[in-house]
Amino acid sequence: MEDEIDSIEDNIDDLESLESSLPSTSTDDKEIPIDASALQSEFDIKKEIAAKELEIDRLENQIENLERQISDIESYETTLTVQSSVDGTIKDLSHAIDNPLITIASQSTIVTTDLTEKEIVTVEENMSAMIQSDIEKKTQKGIVTSVATLPKNDPHLQTDSMYPVEVKLQDTDNKLLPGHHVFLSIITEEVKGAFVVPVTAIEKEGSSAFIWILTEKGTVEQRKVETGLQVNGQQQIKSGVKAGEYYIVYPGDIPALENGTPFITGIDWNRIKLRDLKKVDRPTVLENLLVGILERK
């Protein structure tokens, strides 16, 4: 700025020299006529000089302000503090005057993964996630904090596009360190209090699903059901059955299974009471015992 002021002052000196070279309006108190263009030139020069002087005043004011700021900084340089907007650990410092930079590593544990084109469309932010590792004995809970909408690499016809996803652990008290490998499960759909049966108990006929129920009459019944989520070999049943009903786990292993077929279960000796048997006549006891033996064969 001081160099700029010196340059402007030199410019003013040149303008003043130019102004002095113009013909004067009077000599020895005797009026001398002057051309109108000369008067206009003198006016323009004075106007330009005034603008330059105003520019000098502006620059001098800026210099004073900057010198005052420098003085304040120098007086507090030993206690100068920069407050970061994020929590973390300083990882790297760049002292370059043109680009000072502080790299801060977050204290939060973040799990990153890449999802395929089909997987990414089922994942959204704020979805729950489960994290397991060989370091931590218990399963950690997490939440999806970032879902990329652009692929990690340039799309290519021969390879699948991969999309980065970030999951933040909700419990900061863990032994995981940056670089540890973990098993990540993102819960894209969840049903609480659902009725579930093994997938082996479900029979498919076209688009319909059925399950074989053991009725209170001692017969089997093929029941149409509405299914839901299927996770880890367990099938959700939305409707068609009620809690407490018995069903056949492997209906495919039973030949000629039909509606109304009677079934025989093993004796639960803990439920048999001697006083109840005394109320049943001997022929009935022998008949049911013989039927049970023959049916088992």
Side-chain angles (χ1 to χ4, degrees):
M1 288 184 179
E2 290 175 347
D3 291 341
E4 189 175 351
I5 290 176
D6 292 338
S7 177
I8 293 175
E9 288 177 343
D10 292 340
N11 196 354
I12 290 176
D13 291 339
D14 294 339
L15 291 172
E16 289 176 346
S17 298
L18 180 61
E19 181 185 14
S20 63
S21 65
L22 294 175
S24 176
T25 57
S26 63
T27 303
D28 297 332
D29 297 330
K30 186 177 180 180
E31 295 292 336
I32 300 177
I34 301 177
D35 187 79
S37 60
L39 291 174
Q40 181 63 38
S41 298
E42 183 179 3
F43 174 78
D44 291 340
I45 291 174
K46 290 182 179 294
K47 181 179 178 181
E48 184 68 18
I49 291 174
K52 297 293 184 182
E53 290 175 345
L54 185 62
E55 179 68 12
I56 290 176
D57 291 339
R58 186 185 66 80
L59 291 173
E60 287 178 345
N61 288 333
Q62 287 189 12
I63 290 175
E64 291 179 2
N65 289 333
L66 290 173
E67 287 178 343
R68 191 180 304 109
Q69 293 179 31
I70 292 173
S71 177
D72 293 339
I73 292 175
E74 288 175 346
S75 63
Y76 292 103
E77 61 180 358
T78 57
T79 58
L80 186 62
T81 301
V82 177
Q83 184 68 37
S84 171
S85 59
V86 296
D87 295 332
T89 303
I90 296 178
K91 187 178 180 180
D92 188 30
L93 285 173
S94 173
H95 299 282
I97 298 299
D98 57 341
N99 187 27
L101 182 67
I102 299 177
T103 303
I104 298 178
S106 173
Q107 293 178 337
S108 302
T109 305
I110 302 294
V111 177
T112 60
T113 188
D114 296 330
L115 299 183
T116 64
E117 300 173 21
K118 293 182 179 180
E119 293 171 335
I120 194 67
V121 296
T122 64
V123 176
E124 299 176 357
E125 290 186 7
N126 298 321
M127 281 185 171
S128 299
M130 308 300 290
I131 298 94
Q132 296 176 311
S133 71
D134 296 333
I135 307 300
E136 286 283 346
K137 294 182 179 179
K138 65 177 182 179
T139 300
Q140 300 285 329
K141 294 182 179 180
I143 186 170
V144 178
T145 56
S146 175
V147 180
T149 56
L150 296 176
K152 186 176 183 180
N153 300 317
D154 293 336
H156 195 278
L157 184 61
Q158 303 299 329
T159 58
D160 291 336
S161 298
M162 304 300 292
Y163 296 81
V165 172
E166 291 186 358
V167 175
K168 180 180 179 180
L169 268 68
Q170 293 179 312
D171 186 4
T172 57
D173 185 16
N174 58 75
K175 299 179 181 178
L176 297 176
L177 297 176
H180 277 166
H181 291 75
V182 298
F183 299 95
L184 174 64
S185 299
I186 299 177
I187 302 173
T188 58
E189 193 172 355
E190 184 178 16
V191 178
K192 297 181 179 180
F195 290 136
V196 295
V197 298
V199 293
T200 57
I202 302 296
E203 284 189 340
K204 295 284 188 177
E205 294 183 12
S207 60
S208 301
F210 299 89
I211 187 172
W212 289 92
I213 300 295
L214 307 181
T215 68
E216 296 180 352
K217 298 179 180 179
T219 59
V220 295
E221 175 189 345
Q222 189 183 45
R223 189 87 58 80
K224 185 177 181 180
V225 294
E226 181 184 0
T227 58
L229 295 179
Q230 180 180 323
V231 181
N232 297 330
Q234 298 294 315
Q235 177 67 65
Q236 176 197 2
I237 305 297
K238 292 184 176 180
S239 63
V241 296
K242 58 184 179 180
E245 288 188 307
Y246 292 93
Y247 59 91
I248 300 176
V249 180
Y250 298 98
D253 294 345
I254 304 175
L257 189 60
E258 297 179 357
N259 271 320
T261 301
F263 67 88
I264 297 175
T265 60
I267 297 177
D268 185 358
W269 295 102
N270 294 325
R271 299 184 63 180
I272 296 178
K273 298 179 181 179
L274 184 59
R275 63 175 180 271
D276 294 331
L277 289 177
K278 291 181 178 179
K279 299 179 182 178
V280 182
D281 58 273
R282 184 179 180 84
T284 302
V285 173
L286 294 176
E287 178 185 357
N288 283 276
L289 182 61
L290 182 59
V291 170
I293 295 174
L294 292 175
E295 289 290 343
R296 291 183 66 86
K297 289 182 180 181

